[in-house]
Amino acid sequence: MDTKSVFNRLRQFDAYPKTLEDFRVRTFSGAAVTIISAILMTVLFMSELNYYLTKEVIPELYVDNTRGEKLRINMDVIFPKMPCAFISLDAMDVSGEHQLDVDLNIYRRRLDAKGKPIDEKEETVKLGEEDKDAAEKLIKLSKKEELDPSRCESCYGAETKELECCNTCEDVREAYRRKGWAFNMATEIVQCNREGWSDQIDAQKGEGCQMFGYLEVNKVAGNFHFAPGKSFQQHHIHVHDLQPFIGDKFNMTHHIQQLSFGMEYPGMDNPLDHTLVTDKRGSTMYQYFIKVVPTTYTKLNGQTTRTNQYSVTKHEKQVSILNLSGEQGLPGVFVLYELSPLMVKFTEKHRSFMHFLTGVCAIIGGVFTVAGLIDSFIYHSARAIQKKIDLGKAL
Protein backbone atom coordinates (compact mmCIF):
# COMPACT_ATOMS: atom_id res chain seq x y z
CA MET A 1 0.00 0.00 0.00
CA ASP A 2 1.55 3.28 -1.10
CA THR A 3 1.64 6.54 0.85
CA LYS A 4 -0.98 8.21 -1.33
CA SER A 5 -3.62 5.57 -0.60
CA VAL A 6 -2.87 5.84 3.14
CA PHE A 7 -3.54 9.57 3.07
CA ASN A 8 -6.71 8.99 1.08
CA ARG A 9 -7.98 6.59 3.75
CA LEU A 10 -7.08 9.02 6.54
CA ARG A 11 -9.18 11.74 4.88
CA GLN A 12 -12.27 9.72 5.66
CA PHE A 13 -11.81 10.54 9.36
CA ASP A 14 -11.93 14.31 8.74
CA ALA A 15 -14.70 15.65 10.98
CA TYR A 16 -14.42 19.10 9.39
CA PRO A 17 -15.06 18.74 5.65
CA LYS A 18 -14.23 21.87 3.65
CA THR A 19 -16.25 23.54 0.96
CA LEU A 20 -14.81 25.06 -2.14
CA GLU A 21 -14.20 28.78 -2.12
CA ASP A 22 -16.61 29.21 -5.02
CA PHE A 23 -19.49 27.78 -2.97
CA ARG A 24 -18.99 30.06 0.04
CA VAL A 25 -21.35 33.01 0.55
CA ARG A 26 -20.09 35.97 2.58
CA THR A 27 -22.74 38.29 4.07
CA PHE A 28 -22.82 41.56 6.02
CA SER A 29 -24.61 39.87 8.91
CA GLY A 30 -21.93 37.19 9.03
CA ALA A 31 -19.20 39.85 9.20
CA ALA A 32 -21.00 41.65 12.06
CA VAL A 33 -21.43 38.40 14.03
CA THR A 34 -17.75 37.55 13.44
CA ILE A 35 -16.50 40.93 14.71
CA ILE A 36 -18.75 40.86 17.80
CA SER A 37 -17.69 37.26 18.51
CA ALA A 38 -14.00 38.17 18.24
CA ILE A 39 -14.42 41.07 20.66
CA LEU A 40 -16.37 38.89 23.07
CA MET A 41 -13.76 36.12 22.92
CA THR A 42 -10.98 38.65 23.58
CA VAL A 43 -12.76 40.11 26.61
CA LEU A 44 -13.53 36.69 28.06
CA PHE A 45 -9.96 35.51 27.42
CA MET A 46 -8.49 38.52 29.24
CA SER A 47 -10.88 37.93 32.13
CA GLU A 48 -9.84 34.27 32.33
CA LEU A 49 -6.16 35.22 32.13
CA ASN A 50 -6.53 37.78 34.91
CA TYR A 51 -8.31 35.19 37.05
CA TYR A 52 -5.51 32.69 36.42
CA LEU A 53 -2.80 35.17 37.42
CA THR A 54 -4.47 35.95 40.78
CA LYS A 55 -3.71 33.85 43.87
CA GLU A 56 -6.17 31.28 45.10
CA VAL A 57 -6.84 31.39 48.86
CA ILE A 58 -8.01 28.07 50.29
CA PRO A 59 -9.76 28.18 53.70
CA GLU A 60 -9.56 25.23 56.10
CA LEU A 61 -10.97 24.64 59.58
CA TYR A 62 -9.05 23.11 62.49
CA VAL A 63 -9.32 22.75 66.25
CA ASP A 64 -7.15 25.39 67.92
CA ASN A 65 -4.56 23.55 70.03
CA THR A 66 -2.17 26.46 70.64
CA ARG A 67 -1.25 27.19 74.25
CA GLY A 68 0.50 29.90 76.18
CA GLU A 69 0.26 32.60 73.50
CA LYS A 70 -0.48 36.26 74.08
CA LEU A 71 -3.33 38.07 72.36
CA ARG A 72 -2.46 41.43 70.82
CA ILE A 73 -5.28 43.98 70.67
CA ASN A 74 -4.70 46.94 68.33
CA MET A 75 -6.85 50.00 68.88
CA ASP A 76 -7.35 53.57 67.75
CA VAL A 77 -10.39 55.17 69.36
CA ILE A 78 -11.44 58.82 69.44
CA PHE A 79 -13.63 60.31 72.17
CA PRO A 80 -14.52 63.80 70.89
CA LYS A 81 -16.38 64.76 74.10
CA MET A 82 -14.19 63.12 76.76
CA PRO A 83 -10.92 64.74 77.96
CA CYS A 84 -7.84 62.56 78.34
CA ALA A 85 -7.67 63.46 82.06
CA PHE A 86 -11.13 61.94 82.62
CA ILE A 87 -10.79 58.59 80.89
CA SER A 88 -8.85 55.44 81.75
CA LEU A 89 -8.26 52.10 80.03
CA ASP A 90 -8.46 48.87 82.03
CA ALA A 91 -8.13 45.23 80.96
CA MET A 92 -8.94 42.02 82.83
CA ASP A 93 -9.50 38.36 82.02
CA VAL A 94 -10.96 35.20 83.51
CA SER A 95 -7.52 34.08 84.73
CA GLY A 96 -7.64 36.89 87.28
CA GLU A 97 -5.07 39.18 85.66
CA HIS A 98 -5.92 42.89 85.87
CA GLN A 99 -4.28 45.80 84.06
CA LEU A 100 -5.53 49.04 85.58
CA ASP A 101 -5.18 52.45 83.94
CA VAL A 102 -3.00 50.97 81.19
CA ASP A 103 -0.34 53.25 79.75
CA LEU A 104 2.17 50.70 78.42
CA ASN A 105 2.12 50.92 74.59
CA ILE A 106 -1.04 53.09 74.84
CA TYR A 107 -0.80 56.72 73.77
CA ARG A 108 -3.16 59.61 74.41
CA ARG A 109 -3.59 62.64 72.20
CA ARG A 110 -5.58 65.65 73.36
CA LEU A 111 -8.06 67.03 70.84
CA ASP A 112 -9.75 70.42 70.72
CA ALA A 113 -13.47 70.96 70.23
CA LYS A 114 -13.00 70.66 66.45
CA GLY A 115 -11.21 67.34 66.76
CA LYS A 116 -7.75 68.71 65.93
CA PRO A 117 -4.71 67.60 67.98
CA ILE A 118 -3.54 70.02 70.67
CA ASP A 119 0.18 70.77 70.69
CA GLU A 120 0.99 70.65 74.41
CA LYS A 121 4.37 72.33 73.87
CA GLU A 122 2.76 75.38 72.28
CA GLU A 123 0.14 75.42 75.02
CA THR A 124 2.88 75.45 77.69
CA VAL A 125 4.62 78.37 75.98
CA LYS A 126 1.36 80.35 75.80
CA LEU A 127 0.69 79.64 79.46
CA GLY A 128 4.15 80.89 80.37
CA GLU A 129 3.64 84.11 78.43
CA GLU A 130 0.36 84.81 80.21
CA ASP A 131 1.66 84.18 83.72
CA LYS A 132 5.45 84.28 83.70
CA ASP A 133 5.79 84.95 87.41
CA ALA A 134 3.72 81.92 88.39
CA ALA A 135 5.60 79.73 85.93
CA GLU A 136 8.99 80.88 87.25
CA LYS A 137 7.95 80.19 90.84
CA LEU A 138 6.74 76.73 89.88
CA ILE A 139 10.03 75.95 88.08
CA LYS A 140 12.12 77.18 91.03
CA LEU A 141 10.03 75.17 93.48
CA SER A 142 10.29 72.03 91.34
CA LYS A 143 14.07 72.42 91.01
CA LYS A 144 14.44 72.94 94.73
CA GLU A 145 12.48 69.77 95.46
CA GLU A 146 14.30 67.75 92.83
CA LEU A 147 17.59 68.66 94.48
CA ASP A 148 16.36 67.24 97.80
CA PRO A 149 16.98 63.46 97.59
CA SER A 150 15.61 62.81 101.08
CA ARG A 151 12.20 64.29 100.32
CA CYS A 152 9.39 61.94 101.32
CA GLU A 153 5.96 63.51 101.31
CA SER A 154 2.82 62.18 102.90
CA CYS A 155 0.38 59.76 101.29
CA TYR A 156 -2.33 61.03 103.67
CA GLY A 157 -2.86 57.74 105.42
CA ALA A 158 -2.58 55.53 102.35
CA GLU A 159 1.07 54.56 102.82
CA THR A 160 2.03 50.95 102.13
CA LYS A 161 5.28 49.01 102.19
CA GLU A 162 5.54 49.30 98.43
CA LEU A 163 4.62 53.00 98.38
CA GLU A 164 5.80 54.83 101.48
CA CYS A 165 6.33 58.26 99.92
CA CYS A 166 3.99 60.25 97.67
CA ASN A 167 5.97 63.07 96.10
CA THR A 168 3.47 63.77 93.30
CA CYS A 169 -0.30 64.01 92.99
CA GLU A 170 -0.27 60.87 90.85
CA ASP A 171 1.53 59.01 93.66
CA VAL A 172 -1.23 60.00 96.07
CA ARG A 173 -3.91 58.85 93.62
CA GLU A 174 -2.08 55.53 93.16
CA ALA A 175 -1.80 55.05 96.93
CA TYR A 176 -5.52 55.73 97.30
CA ARG A 177 -6.26 53.31 94.48
CA ARG A 178 -4.27 50.54 96.16
CA LYS A 179 -6.16 51.12 99.39
CA GLY A 180 -9.48 51.14 97.57
CA TRP A 181 -10.24 54.70 98.70
CA ALA A 182 -12.10 57.31 96.69
CA PHE A 183 -9.94 60.29 95.65
CA ASN A 184 -12.27 63.22 96.38
CA MET A 185 -10.06 65.70 98.25
CA ALA A 186 -7.60 66.94 95.64
CA THR A 187 -7.85 70.55 96.84
CA GLU A 188 -6.58 69.53 100.31
CA ILE A 189 -3.51 67.65 99.03
CA VAL A 190 -0.33 69.71 98.80
CA GLN A 191 1.13 67.77 95.88
CA CYS A 192 -2.03 68.24 93.80
CA ASN A 193 -2.24 71.95 94.61
CA ARG A 194 1.42 72.42 93.70
CA GLU A 195 0.95 70.65 90.35
CA GLY A 196 -2.38 72.36 89.68
CA TRP A 197 -4.18 69.04 89.24
CA SER A 198 -7.65 70.51 89.71
CA ASP A 199 -6.81 73.36 87.32
CA GLN A 200 -5.65 70.84 84.71
CA ILE A 201 -8.92 68.94 85.03
CA ASP A 202 -10.92 72.14 84.60
CA ALA A 203 -8.72 73.29 81.71
CA GLN A 204 -9.36 70.09 79.75
CA LYS A 205 -13.14 70.27 79.98
CA GLY A 206 -14.63 70.58 76.50
CA GLU A 207 -11.69 68.71 74.92
CA GLY A 208 -11.60 65.30 73.31
CA CYS A 209 -9.11 62.45 73.45
CA GLN A 210 -7.61 59.98 71.02
CA MET A 211 -6.29 56.72 72.50
CA PHE A 212 -4.22 54.47 70.27
CA GLY A 213 -1.66 51.70 70.56
CA TYR A 214 -1.97 48.06 71.55
CA LEU A 215 -2.57 45.77 74.51
CA GLU A 216 -1.07 42.36 75.14
CA VAL A 217 -3.33 40.08 77.19
CA ASN A 218 -3.59 36.39 77.97
CA LYS A 219 -5.23 34.31 75.27
CA VAL A 220 -8.34 33.66 77.36
CA ALA A 221 -11.76 35.30 77.60
CA GLY A 222 -11.72 38.78 79.08
CA ASN A 223 -12.60 42.40 78.51
CA PHE A 224 -11.13 45.86 78.27
CA HIS A 225 -12.95 49.13 78.67
CA PHE A 226 -12.65 52.87 78.38
CA ALA A 227 -14.41 54.55 81.31
CA PRO A 228 -14.14 57.81 83.29
CA GLY A 229 -12.38 57.96 86.64
CA LYS A 230 -9.43 56.25 88.29
CA SER A 231 -9.99 52.50 88.66
CA PHE A 232 -9.13 50.31 91.64
CA GLN A 233 -10.09 47.02 93.28
CA GLN A 234 -12.29 47.11 96.38
CA HIS A 235 -13.27 43.82 98.02
CA HIS A 236 -12.53 42.00 94.74
CA ILE A 237 -14.85 44.39 92.86
CA HIS A 238 -13.62 46.57 90.02
CA VAL A 239 -14.52 50.18 90.88
CA HIS A 240 -14.05 53.54 89.15
CA ASP A 241 -13.58 56.62 91.32
CA LEU A 242 -16.01 59.18 89.92
CA GLN A 243 -16.07 61.46 92.99
CA PRO A 244 -14.04 64.22 91.29
CA PHE A 245 -16.60 64.30 88.49
CA ILE A 246 -19.87 64.21 90.43
CA GLY A 247 -22.39 66.42 88.68
CA ASP A 248 -20.92 65.83 85.23
CA LYS A 249 -22.83 63.94 82.57
CA PHE A 250 -20.40 61.99 80.45
CA ASN A 251 -20.81 62.04 76.70
CA MET A 252 -19.43 58.71 75.52
CA THR A 253 -19.61 59.49 71.80
CA HIS A 254 -16.80 57.50 70.21
CA HIS A 255 -15.26 56.82 66.83
CA ILE A 256 -13.50 53.46 66.52
CA GLN A 257 -11.00 54.01 63.74
CA GLN A 258 -9.36 50.62 64.26
CA LEU A 259 -9.94 47.60 66.46
CA SER A 260 -8.21 44.35 65.55
CA PHE A 261 -6.81 41.29 67.25
CA GLY A 262 -3.34 40.41 66.00
CA MET A 263 -1.42 41.26 62.85
CA GLU A 264 -3.04 42.20 59.56
CA TYR A 265 -3.25 39.82 56.61
CA PRO A 266 -4.50 40.30 53.00
CA GLY A 267 -8.27 40.66 52.86
CA MET A 268 -8.65 41.14 56.62
CA ASP A 269 -12.05 42.58 57.58
CA ASN A 270 -12.56 44.12 61.04
CA PRO A 271 -16.29 44.80 61.61
CA LEU A 272 -15.72 47.65 64.09
CA ASP A 273 -13.26 49.65 61.97
CA HIS A 274 -14.55 53.15 61.16
CA THR A 275 -17.52 52.81 63.53
CA LEU A 276 -19.00 56.11 64.74
CA VAL A 277 -21.45 56.06 67.65
CA THR A 278 -23.10 59.22 69.01
CA ASP A 279 -24.19 59.35 72.64
CA LYS A 280 -27.40 61.39 72.41
CA ARG A 281 -28.61 60.71 75.99
CA GLY A 282 -25.33 60.99 77.88
CA SER A 283 -23.73 58.66 80.45
CA THR A 284 -24.34 55.61 78.26
CA MET A 285 -22.72 52.24 78.68
CA TYR A 286 -21.76 50.70 75.32
CA GLN A 287 -20.98 46.99 75.26
CA TYR A 288 -19.43 45.16 72.32
CA PHE A 289 -19.56 41.37 72.57
CA ILE A 290 -16.83 39.92 70.39
CA LYS A 291 -16.18 36.36 69.25
CA VAL A 292 -12.50 36.03 68.34
CA VAL A 293 -11.57 33.33 65.81
CA PRO A 294 -7.86 32.36 65.72
CA THR A 295 -6.57 32.57 62.16
CA THR A 296 -3.38 31.71 60.29
CA TYR A 297 -2.53 33.02 56.83
CA THR A 298 0.20 31.31 54.77
CA LYS A 299 1.57 33.15 51.72
CA LEU A 300 3.02 31.64 48.54
CA ASN A 301 6.56 32.06 49.88
CA GLY A 302 5.69 30.00 52.96
CA GLN A 303 5.53 32.96 55.37
CA THR A 304 2.83 32.33 57.98
CA THR A 305 1.01 35.05 59.93
CA ARG A 306 -0.76 34.06 63.15
CA THR A 307 -3.60 36.47 63.80
CA ASN A 308 -7.33 36.61 64.53
CA GLN A 309 -10.62 37.69 63.00
CA TYR A 310 -13.83 38.39 64.86
CA SER A 311 -17.56 38.96 64.80
CA VAL A 312 -19.39 41.41 67.05
CA THR A 313 -22.78 42.29 68.54
CA LYS A 314 -23.60 45.52 70.36
CA HIS A 315 -25.67 46.52 73.37
CA GLU A 316 -26.14 49.88 75.07
CA LYS A 317 -27.92 51.26 78.11
CA GLN A 318 -28.00 54.49 80.09
CA VAL A 319 -26.56 54.39 83.60
CA SER A 320 -26.22 56.74 86.56
CA ILE A 321 -22.75 57.76 87.75
CA LEU A 322 -24.09 57.88 91.31
CA ASN A 323 -23.81 54.09 91.29
CA LEU A 324 -20.06 54.01 92.00
CA SER A 325 -19.93 50.26 92.64
CA GLY A 326 -20.60 49.54 88.99
CA GLU A 327 -23.16 46.85 89.81
CA GLN A 328 -25.55 48.21 87.21
CA GLY A 329 -22.85 49.47 84.89
CA LEU A 330 -20.69 52.50 84.30
CA PRO A 331 -20.69 54.98 81.43
CA GLY A 332 -18.03 53.92 78.98
CA VAL A 333 -17.11 51.65 76.11
CA PHE A 334 -16.75 47.99 77.12
CA VAL A 335 -15.34 45.33 74.80
CA LEU A 336 -15.99 41.79 76.04
CA TYR A 337 -14.27 39.07 74.04
CA GLU A 338 -14.10 35.29 74.08
CA LEU A 339 -12.15 32.92 71.87
CA SER A 340 -13.49 30.28 69.53
CA PRO A 341 -12.13 26.73 69.94
CA LEU A 342 -11.80 26.47 66.16
CA MET A 343 -9.06 27.94 64.01
CA VAL A 344 -9.32 29.10 60.39
CA LYS A 345 -6.32 28.51 58.14
CA PHE A 346 -5.92 30.43 54.86
CA THR A 347 -3.35 29.17 52.35
CA GLU A 348 -2.33 30.94 49.15
CA LYS A 349 -1.83 28.74 46.08
CA HIS A 350 -1.26 29.20 42.34
CA ARG A 351 -4.26 28.42 40.18
CA SER A 352 -4.13 25.32 37.96
CA PHE A 353 -2.81 25.90 34.43
CA MET A 354 -4.94 23.03 33.11
CA HIS A 355 -8.00 24.73 34.56
CA PHE A 356 -6.98 27.92 32.73
CA LEU A 357 -6.45 26.02 29.46
CA THR A 358 -9.82 24.30 29.80
CA GLY A 359 -11.52 27.63 30.41
CA VAL A 360 -9.90 29.21 27.34
CA CYS A 361 -10.95 26.30 25.12
CA ALA A 362 -14.49 26.49 26.48
CA ILE A 363 -14.62 30.23 25.76
CA ILE A 364 -13.36 29.95 22.18
CA GLY A 365 -15.40 26.87 21.32
CA GLY A 366 -18.56 28.10 23.00
CA VAL A 367 -18.50 31.56 21.44
CA PHE A 368 -17.62 30.10 18.01
CA THR A 369 -20.47 27.59 18.15
CA VAL A 370 -23.08 30.06 19.39
CA ALA A 371 -21.96 32.64 16.82
CA GLY A 372 -22.34 30.02 14.06
CA LEU A 373 -25.90 29.22 15.18
CA ILE A 374 -26.81 32.91 15.28
CA ASP A 375 -25.31 33.55 11.84
CA SER A 376 -27.08 30.52 10.38
CA PHE A 377 -30.42 31.65 11.87
CA ILE A 378 -30.01 35.18 10.48
CA TYR A 379 -28.94 33.89 7.04
CA HIS A 380 -31.77 31.38 6.61
CA SER A 381 -34.37 33.78 7.99
CA ALA A 382 -33.26 36.46 5.53
CA ARG A 383 -33.42 33.99 2.63
CA ALA A 384 -36.92 32.80 3.60
CA ILE A 385 -38.21 36.36 3.80
CA GLN A 386 -36.56 37.21 0.50
CA LYS A 387 -38.25 34.24 -1.21
CA LYS A 388 -41.65 35.32 0.05
CA ILE A 389 -41.05 38.85 -1.23
CA ASP A 390 -40.01 37.47 -4.59
CA LEU A 391 -43.22 35.38 -4.74
CA GLY A 392 -45.36 38.30 -3.64
CA LYS A 393 -46.43 36.59 -0.43
CA ALA A 394 -44.78 38.90 2.06
CA LEU A 395 -47.14 40.16 4.76
Side-chain angles (χ1 to χ4, degrees), residues 317-333:
K317 65 177 179 178
Q318 193 171 25
V319 297
S320 172
I321 66 170
L322 295 176
N323 177 27
L324 299 181
S325 67
E327 293 177 358
Q328 297 179 358
L330 291 167
V333 177

Side-chain angles (χ1 to χ4, degrees), residues 357-389:
L357 191 61
T358 303
V360 171
C361 292
I363 289 171
I364 296 175
V367 173
F368 187 81
T369 301
V370 173
L373 293 174
I374 294 174
D375 178 59
S376 177
F377 174 77
I378 294 174
Y379 176 72
H380 288 97
S381 298
R383 287 192 63 186
I385 294 173
Q386 186 63 42
K387 284 183 179 180
K388 290 184 178 181
I389 293 176

Side-chain angles (χ1 to χ4, degrees), residues 52-106:
Y52 168 70
L53 294 176
T54 59
K55 295 171 289 189
E56 183 180 11
V57 180
I58 300 175
E60 299 172 281
L61 203 60
Y62 295 92
V63 174
D64 184 16
N65 54 11
T66 56
R67 296 291 182 271
E69 294 184 350
K70 288 287 187 179
L71 181 63
R72 175 174 171 141
I73 305 174
N74 308 297
M75 62 185 71
D76 186 355
V77 186
I78 294 176
F79 297 91
K81 303 296 182 181
M82 282 290 294
C84 290
F86 284 28
I87 199 165
S88 66
L89 170 61
D90 305 317
M92 56 199 70
D93 57 47
V94 295
S95 68
E97 182 173 323
H98 293 71
Q99 299 182 49
L100 304 180
D101 202 10
V102 182
D103 57 5
L104 180 65
N105 299 319
I106 296 294

